Amino acid sequence: MGKSNVAVYPKVLGELETLELVLAGKSIARYGDGEMNHVMGRKNISQVADPKLTVEIAALLTDPPKSCLVGIPTMNPAGKQTWLKYAPSYARFLNPKVKYVSAFISRPDSAPWIATPEYFDKVESLWRGQKVTLVGNGVRSLKPDFLRSHDADVNFVECPYRDAYSKIDDLERQCLQATRRVILCAGPTATVLAARLARKGFHAVDLGHIGMYWRQYTQPFVKSE
C-alpha cells in the first residue's frame, strides 16, 4: 500500500515550555489564523494581501532561523475547539523537520491553563526592570505606558494599526538602532519582523494581542487579593 499524500499536523510544544525557551533568549514568531491567511495569499482584518508578505511569511514558516522559534496553533483538544477544523489545511504549509512551538503563549482564550498569576508574572519579566523596544500601535495590545508602569524603560516604535507591512523596512531600521530586546504587537508584520531581528542578534518576542487579554485575565487575581 502506498503512502498517504495527506499532510499530518505536527506535535507542538506546549505554552509553558515555549515561554521558558523565550525567557532563555529565543526569539519567537507566532502564527494564528490571520498569519496563516497570508501564507495562503489572503488578507486578514488588519493587513491587506501583499505578495511580498506572502513569500516572506510562508518561507519563515518552513525554514526559520535557528535563533527564532515558530509558534503555531497547538490543536490541543483541551483548548479552544474551533482551531481543530484548521489542522488539515494548515498542515499542508508546514515542514515536518521543524520543531514547532505554541503560538498561544499570549492567548489564554485558546490555552486557558495559562491564565494564572505565576504565568503572567513570567511574561512580565520580559520587560520588568529592563530596557525594551515596543513595536505596536497601542490600539488593542500592549502600550508603552503599561510597560512603564511595570518598571520598564521603553523605546516605542509606533506602527500603523492597518497594513503595517508596508512600513516594515522602516520599522526594522528603528529597531536596529534601539535596545536588543524587542516586544512586537503588530499582527503579521510582527511575525516576519521577529525573524528579521533574530537573524541580526536581537531578542524579538511576538506577543500579539496579549495586552487585550492582560486585564481580562489578570483582573480576577487582583480582585481576589
Side-chain angles (χ1 to χ4, degrees):
M1 182 179 295
K3 294 183 179 179
S4 171
N5 291 324
V6 178
V8 177
Y9 201 84
K11 183 178 180 180
V12 181
L13 195 68
E15 291 74 30
L16 299 179
E17 298 86 352
T18 299
L19 181 60
E20 289 299 332
L21 290 175
V22 172
L23 293 174
K26 285 285 189 178
S27 294
I28 183 169
R30 298 167 47 262
Y31 287 73
D33 54 345
E35 288 72 29
M36 291 304 299
N37 278 349
H38 289 282
V39 171
M40 301 175 194
R42 303 170 185 167
K43 64 178 181 177
N44 77 314
I45 293 174
S46 62
Q47 176 65 52
V48 297
D50 185 312
K52 291 182 179 179
L53 173 57
T54 293
V55 170
E56 186 170 7
I57 204 167
L60 169 61
L61 186 60
T62 59
D63 187 22
K66 291 182 179 179
S67 58
C68 188
L69 305 169
V70 173
I72 62 173
T74 62
M75 304 302 172
N76 187 335
K80 192 174 181 179
Q81 295 292 306
T82 53
W83 286 104
L84 297 174
K85 66 183 179 181
Y86 295 116
S89 59
Y90 288 1
R92 296 184 293 119
F93 298 95
L94 303 177
N95 182 351
K97 295 182 180 180
V98 174
K99 295 181 179 180
Y100 293 103
V101 300
S102 177
F104 297 154
I105 59 168
S106 58
R107 294 204 54 172
D109 63 324
S110 293
W113 42 86
I114 69 173
T116 68
E118 295 77 15
Y119 185 86
F120 279 97
D121 282 347
K122 285 187 175 183
V123 174
E124 185 184 328
S125 71
L126 286 167
W127 57 77
R128 185 175 59 238
Q130 300 186 54
K131 292 183 178 181
V132 298
T133 295
L134 172 64
V135 179
N137 49 66
V139 175
R140 299 182 67 189
S141 195
L142 295 175
K143 301 180 181 181
D145 285 348
F146 174 82
L147 299 187
R148 291 178 183 124
S149 72
H150 289 240
D151 198 28
D153 183 349
V154 184
N155 171 55
F156 184 40
V157 175
E158 189 170 5
C159 69
Y161 175 66
R162 297 190 182 279
D163 305 330
Y165 187 74
S166 65
K167 306 292 184 183
I168 191 169
D169 291 340
D170 182 56
L171 296 173
E172 182 180 3
R173 280 192 292 271
Q174 292 184 65
C175 290
L176 293 176
Q177 297 170 7
T179 60
R180 305 300 289 183
R181 174 166 292 171
V182 183
I183 307 296
L184 300 151
C185 302
T189 299
T191 303
V192 294
L193 185 54
R196 287 190 184 191
L197 294 171
R199 289 187 182 98
K200 296 178 179 179
F202 284 69
H203 185 201
V205 185
D206 172 11
L207 287 179
H209 289 319
I210 193 168
M212 183 175 70
Y213 297 113
W214 196 277
R215 182 177 297 275
Q216 178 183 353
Y217 284 90
T218 60
Q219 194 63 36
F221 310 150
V222 175
K223 288 180 179 179
S224 65
E225 291 178 351

